[in-house]
Amino acid sequence: MQVAAQFEPKTDASAVPGQMQAVVYHGRDDVRVQTVPVPQIGPGELLVRVHTCGICGTDLKKISTGSHSAPRIFGHETAGVVARVGAGVSDFQPGDRVVVFHHIPCGQCFYCERKVFAQCPVYKKVGATAGFEPSGGGFAEYVRVMDWIVGRGVVRLPSHVSFEQAAFVEPVNTCMKGINALRLRAGDNVLVIGSGPIGIVLGALAKRAGTRVIAADLFAERLEIAKSFGVTEGIDASREDTVERTRSLTEGRGADVVIVAVPGNALVRTALDAARPGGQVMLFAHTARSEATIDPAAICVDEKSLLGSYSASVDLQDESVRLVLGGEIDFARLVSHRFPLSAAVEAIHLAANPGPRSMKVMISPGNGWHGGPQ
């Protein structure tokens, strides 16, 4: 695991500036680095100075589709240092290194009782903001963390854990939720379509569950990166037919489980065809509402199951924190590019148009801190 270097960020509340730099979304494919006020906090809240924030596919979808009103500041895979604490906060103090969740459910509603936390009305309310509408806010120098998030969604970091590793806590939680929903059995054949950073995390977690994992991607370079995380079998989809190759690797049956980790609608049919009769197909990246073609007989006659998984589970928070902060898997190795906040527009463009070797792209407002990890 990458070890965090020692540094001395400003933690005196009087040293927090009145203004900051942030990436402001103005509409479809329109983001700009601008000067905005540092958010004010209220009782029970925190102000966190952002060191590192990962760019997530959901951020990219919102920007590319213009699905949200403007202006907003996105970014929710946020790690940094507490700069101010609101009245009544006793569990944190300025200088604490933390990772911040942006969604926490109420725990009492119809959906929470059924453990479908992502559908809880409180969960859908974003609890972190750098200004404007609450939208995460990690693409900024400072972020305000609201009281219900402070209570259950802020995790203190050990001194030896880097901010980059810590920023994977939320995305790893989402992957863990999907893997758990599949109820994998040791020895299952699992095909993961898409070997971007999320696909590799899903593959590594499935491998950890004792399954045989096969990765498929259009870029051979990405399959090589997957090998370094234990996913040693790959299908180069630019040269081989994914369905036929999967069947040839599984005694002609097809995979027990297929996880689609990229949002292409055409891949839904591919995934169903690659699954064996009675197998499962999970959609993990289809967050934009649209239409896709499927063979309904594959579900009825062949008894294949089509399911989805979205966002994180509060029930898995402790387990995901232990996995990421414990260092069993060095997720920070997935970081291929780090951009200062001033170059965040370029970072978002790269994340939206990945190359063969581009993996996790981080916006790092804290890279200028004395001694901060690069």
Side-chain angles (χ1 to χ4, degrees):
M1 180 191 301
Q2 181 181 0
V3 177
Q6 297 299 312
F7 61 93
E8 297 178 357
K10 298 176 182 177
T11 56
D12 181 1
S14 65
V16 176
Q19 293 186 311
M20 66 177 183
Q21 295 294 294
V23 183
V24 182
Y25 157 86
H26 287 274
R28 183 174 181 178
D29 288 328
D30 185 0
V31 289
R32 313 169 199 170
V33 178
Q34 295 179 222
T35 300
V36 299
V38 171
Q40 300 296 309
I41 63 171
E45 298 184 340
L46 296 177
L47 184 71
V48 172
R49 188 181 184 194
V50 179
H51 184 281
T52 296
C53 187
I55 300 176
C56 175
T58 57
D59 299 318
L60 300 174
K61 179 204 71 174
K62 294 167 187 174
I63 292 168
S64 66
T65 62
S67 59
H68 287 54
S69 60
R72 290 177 185 250
I73 300 171
F74 293 123
H76 58 266
E77 300 173 358
T78 306
V81 171
V82 174
R84 284 178 176 163
V85 299
V89 175
S90 58
D91 292 338
F92 298 97
Q93 60 185 0
D96 285 345
R97 306 169 73 249
V98 295
V99 64
V100 176
F101 282 78
H102 64 309
H103 289 306
I104 291 292
C106 72
Q108 300 173 340
C109 70
F110 175 92
Y111 292 106
C112 285
E113 287 178 353
R114 289 155 178 79
K115 305 292 186 181
V116 192
F117 300 116
Q119 307 309 318
C120 164
V122 174
Y123 188 95
K124 290 176 180 287
K125 289 174 53 181
V126 182
T129 180
F132 311 115
E133 290 287 330
S135 299
F139 298 162
E141 292 184 89
Y142 291 88
V143 64
R144 170 192 169 203
V145 185
M146 298 178 194
D147 54 359
W148 80 94
I149 304 294
V150 173
R152 299 176 66 196
V154 180
V155 178
R156 187 178 288 103
L157 304 178
S159 60
H160 67 279
V161 176
S162 73
F163 290 114
E164 288 187 352
Q165 177 80 0
F168 280 90
V169 167
E170 191 269 350
V172 167
N173 184 308
T174 68
C175 293
M176 190 175 287
K177 174 185 172 183
I179 292 297
N180 283 10
L182 290 166
R183 302 184 184 276
L184 300 175
R185 301 195 309 176
D188 276 351
N189 292 303
V190 178
L191 170 66
V192 181
I193 299 178
S195 289
I198 286 296
I200 289 176
V201 172
L202 287 163
L205 294 179
K207 190 79 173 179
R208 186 171 177 261
T211 70
R212 173 197 185 190
V213 181
I214 304 163
D217 200 273
L218 291 170
F219 293 132
E221 294 90 341
R222 290 190 161 206
L223 298 176
E224 287 300 315
I225 296 170
K227 286 181 181 179
S228 73
F229 285 85
V231 182
T232 57
E233 295 185 83
I235 299 172
D236 183 344
S238 70
R239 303 176 62 183
E240 299 179 280
D241 182 280
T242 298
V243 174
E244 292 303 318
R245 183 58 178 154
T246 300
R247 289 175 179 166
S248 73
L249 292 170
T250 56
E251 300 178 331
R253 290 188 302 272
D256 299 299
V257 172
V258 182
I259 305 173
V260 187
V262 286
N265 282 358
L267 293 173
V268 179
R269 178 63 185 265
T270 299
L272 281 167
D273 289 346
R276 66 161 171 81
Q280 301 180 86
V281 172
M282 171 169 281
L283 306 185
F284 196 84
H286 287 75
T287 59
R289 298 195 181 277
S290 56
E291 295 183 355
T293 299
I294 66 169
D295 173 9
I299 296 170
C300 180
V301 178
D302 299 336
E303 299 183 296
K304 301 180 184 182
S305 298
L306 180 62
L307 63 158
S309 183
Y310 179 69
S311 202
S313 169
V314 69
D315 278 357
L316 295 172
Q317 183 167 301
D318 290 345
E319 185 179 353
S320 62
V321 167
R322 285 194 298 270
L323 176 61
V324 175
L325 304 190
E328 177 186 332
I329 300 175
D330 186 1
F331 295 105
R333 287 198 295 112
L334 287 169
V335 179
S336 62
H337 294 80
R338 303 162 180 85
F339 288 82
L341 195 57
S342 59
V345 175
E346 181 183 352
I348 290 168
H349 178 77
L350 174 63
N353 300 276
R357 292 194 176 278
S358 58
M359 281 282 161
K360 192 67 175 179
V361 180
M362 295 284 192
I363 295 175
S364 303
N367 268 356
W369 297 355
H370 174 68
Q374 300 299 309

